[in-house]
Amino acid sequence: MAWVFIKDNKIYIIIVDRKIEKKAWNSKRILLIGGITVFVALVGWVVFTTSGKSKLDVDPERLTISEIKKGPFQEFIPINGVVMPITTIYLDASDGGRVEQKFVEDGAMLKKGDPILRLSNTDLELSLASQETSVYGQQTQMQISHNNALSATVSKLQIMADVESTYREAERVYNLDKDLYKQKAIGLQEWKTAQNNYEYNLNKRKLEQQILKQDTAIVRQQDQQAKEQIAQMKSALEMMRKKVNDLTLRAPIDGQLTALDAEIGQTKAKGEKLGEIDVTSGYKLRANVDEHYINRVFTGLTAYYPTDDGTNYKLTVKKVFTQVTNGQFQVDMEFTGGTPKGLRKGQTLQLKLVFSDEVPALLLPKGGFYQQTGGNWIFKLSEDGKTAYKTDIQLGRYNTDNYELLRGLKPGDKVITSSYETYGDIQELILKK
């Protein structure tokens, strides 16, 4: 006896043997063998006709069915931008000190030059007093030296005046005796005496002139050096005064004081942050972008902030930080053509960073099918909507809503875009309600 059944698309035949006595062929035996043959052939035909395409019954209500449409496509990625002031000035302690007085509290609106807090630094103030004393002492010493030089110059001028007078007299006598000697009115000895006296006073006059000239140059040089030294000391003194004045922290620009970290009696180290001044005339957004797009993001790129009322506020990338941290890099963006009302520092906005202009395209809604197919194929519904079968497709760019469909489908086609995780190698889906 033989039993035939089908399981997992395979044919199983079980033959049960029993000991029988050998008999000659008869009609009963022939009919039995014929029936088994027909049955096996029938089963083989069923397996053959069904094994080429595996099918699966699915509930349509558990599927996401989307329609292929033609419409505008724009490539973009969603990013989150954090609202920041257009400019932030950081306040720190140029020199350390103890907080003596606070003039305003955190959050105050300030004008340029308004005092914020005052530090005390005894060492710095003593250094200023010492340097002021040094400058005043040097100025006094320079004045004394200048007066002494003037006195010495006056003495030299007096000597020069005497030398000049003596020279003039010797010159007069020399010229007179020269004429008298020619007239034989005086002797050679008297003429030579007048000549020697004239030449002596002439040389002495030249020497005194040279001495006076050198003295004038030296005095002028000493005065210039003293002035330069005093100027350097005064410059250093002004810097020291500025350091002491900077102990009173003032607003460098108009804006709002934020992050003030100082309490009366606290000691602040040199360079320690004290607070921030935010310029409230405008805002910028700082966003993190996946490093995958680092070569596609540049200054001037456009982003949009869509609001609930349907308004799209435009932003432009102003700065790209190329340093990658935890797989992301940062960009700064500013609003162009209008700023939403009610923005607050630290607020997070959902943005669209756009990589292309809008172009007409076939749109395939995004869905879980992509994880199993890689975008190479999809289940397309038949015209009666009762079945769905595999169809090869080709996808291009994508955004958060749609894929750009390049090939395989046409407008109006309906496809299953939900996950195919449980379908395995199924070739056709039967939609049963």
Side-chain angles (χ1 to χ4, degrees):
M1 181 181 295
W3 297 90
V4 180
F5 64 94
I6 300 173
K7 183 178 181 182
D8 298 331
N9 292 333
K10 294 182 180 180
I11 302 173
Y12 295 88
I13 302 175
I14 300 177
I15 300 175
V16 181
D17 295 333
R18 64 176 180 175
K19 189 175 180 181
I20 56 175
E21 294 181 1
K22 190 174 181 181
K23 296 182 179 180
W25 290 92
N26 53 40
S27 59
K28 185 177 181 181
R29 187 175 183 183
I30 293 172
L31 290 174
L32 177 61
I33 294 174
I36 292 174
T37 302
V38 172
F39 180 76
V40 171
L42 179 62
V43 171
W45 179 82
V46 171
V47 171
F48 175 78
T49 56
T50 58
S51 60
K53 183 185 292 185
S54 57
K55 300 180 179 181
L56 179 67
D57 293 342
V58 294
D59 184 358
E61 294 183 356
R62 302 182 64 179
L63 304 176
T64 301
I65 298 175
S66 304
E67 183 178 349
I68 305 300
K69 295 182 180 179
K70 189 171 185 179
F73 175 84
Q74 188 174 51
E75 186 181 9
F76 65 86
I77 59 172
I79 56 175
N80 290 328
V82 178
V83 178
M84 302 178 66
I86 195 72
T87 303
T88 298
I89 305 297
Y90 295 93
L91 307 174
D92 55 23
S94 56
D95 285 278
R98 181 177 179 272
V99 180
E100 292 290 338
Q101 185 178 4
K102 289 174 62 177
F103 299 100
V104 292
E105 294 297 334
D106 192 43
M109 299 301 297
L110 302 175
K111 295 291 184 181
K112 182 179 180 179
D114 287 348
I116 299 172
L117 57 84
R118 180 172 62 85
L119 303 174
S120 63
N121 186 319
T122 304
D123 293 338
L124 200 62
E125 292 165 352
L126 288 175
S127 296
L128 173 62
S130 175
Q131 195 159 349
E132 286 178 334
T133 302
S134 297
V135 171
Y136 295 146
Q138 187 65 27
Q139 284 180 315
T140 302
Q141 186 61 39
M142 186 189 74
Q143 188 64 42
I144 293 173
S145 298
H146 181 70
N147 292 338
N148 291 337
L150 287 178
S151 178
T153 300
V154 170
S155 297
K156 290 181 176 65
L157 288 173
Q158 290 176 344
I159 294 172
M160 183 64 199
D162 293 340
V163 169
E164 184 70 22
S165 176
T166 304
Y167 164 75
R168 295 296 180 188
E169 179 62 21
E171 183 182 34
R172 184 188 67 79
V173 173
Y174 167 75
N175 290 328
L176 178 62
D177 287 354
K178 181 178 179 181
D179 292 336
L180 291 175
Y181 177 71
K182 287 180 180 181
Q183 297 173 9
K184 307 291 185 180
I186 61 173
L188 178 62
Q189 183 64 30
E190 189 175 356
W191 154 241
K192 285 293 183 182
T193 300
Q195 185 181 27
N196 291 337
N197 188 47
Y198 168 72
E199 290 177 351
Y200 167 75
N201 283 284
L202 176 62
N203 291 331
K204 186 176 181 180
R205 177 174 176 265
K206 290 180 179 179
L207 179 62
E208 286 298 328
Q209 286 177 336
Q210 184 67 27
I211 290 174
L212 185 60
K213 183 178 180 181
Q214 291 178 350
D215 179 74
T216 302
I218 291 172
V219 171
R220 186 181 294 113
Q221 182 180 10
Q222 289 176 343
D223 284 348
Q224 183 63 29
Q225 290 175 345
K227 288 178 180 178
E228 290 176 355
Q229 184 178 6
I230 289 297
Q232 290 176 352
M233 294 184 69
K234 284 184 175 181
S235 177
L237 178 61
E238 287 303 315
M239 291 181 64
M240 182 62 68
R241 284 173 176 166
K242 184 177 184 303
K243 289 166 75 72
V244 172
N245 289 335
D246 286 345
L247 291 175
T248 299
L249 185 66
R250 298 180 180 274
I253 55 173
D254 296 350
Q256 184 177 24
L257 177 64
T258 61
L260 180 62
D261 181 18
E263 297 297 336
I264 302 258
Q266 270 188 318
T267 299
K268 295 294 183 179
K270 181 178 180 179
E272 185 174 350
K273 181 180 176 182
L274 300 177
E276 301 175 3
I277 297 283
D278 293 336
V279 178
T280 56
S281 59
Y283 292 96
K284 65 181 178 182
L285 295 181
R286 178 163 294 176
N288 291 324
V289 182
D290 192 280
E291 63 179 334
H292 174 74
Y293 300 98
I294 195 167
N295 293 325
R296 303 188 64 187
V297 178
F298 51 87
T299 55
L301 200 63
T302 300
Y304 291 97
Y305 167 51
T307 59
D308 294 337
D309 61 5
T311 304
N312 266 335
Y313 289 95
K314 184 179 179 181
L315 300 100
T316 302
V317 175
K318 293 295 184 181
K319 187 174 182 179
V320 179
F321 301 88
T322 56
Q323 182 178 0
V324 177
T325 304
N326 296 326
Q328 295 181 320
F329 66 98
Q330 292 185 321
V331 297
D332 279 352
M333 295 173 285
E334 295 181 11
F335 287 99
T336 55
T339 303
K341 296 181 180 179
L343 293 182
R344 298 181 62 85
K345 180 180 179 180
Q347 182 180 357
T348 300
L349 305 181
Q350 293 183 343
L351 313 173
K352 296 195 304 183
L353 185 60
V354 176
F355 294 123
S356 70
D357 295 330
E358 284 191 350
V359 294
L362 288 180
L363 305 180
L364 170 60
K366 296 185 73 172
F369 75 95
Y370 190 89
Q371 279 66 38
Q372 284 73 42
T373 71
N376 296 316
W377 60 272
I378 197 169
F379 277 116
K380 173 185 174 182
L381 270 66
S382 61
E383 292 185 2
D384 59 10
K386 295 181 179 180
T387 60
Y389 51 91
K390 281 186 175 181
T391 300
D392 292 334
I393 59 173
Q394 182 181 354
L395 302 180
R397 300 170 296 177
Y398 60 90
N399 54 36
T400 55
D401 302 318
N402 299 293
Y403 293 104
E404 182 185 26
L405 181 62
L406 303 179
R407 183 179 59 83
L409 299 170
K410 63 182 184 300
D413 287 345
K414 294 185 178 180
V415 292
I416 299 174
T417 54
S418 50
S419 175
Y420 297 173
E421 185 176 1
T422 60
Y423 295 167
D425 295 329
I426 299 299
Q427 300 293 314
E428 186 176 349
L429 301 179
I430 308 299
L431 281 63
K432 289 189 175 182
K433 296 184 180 181

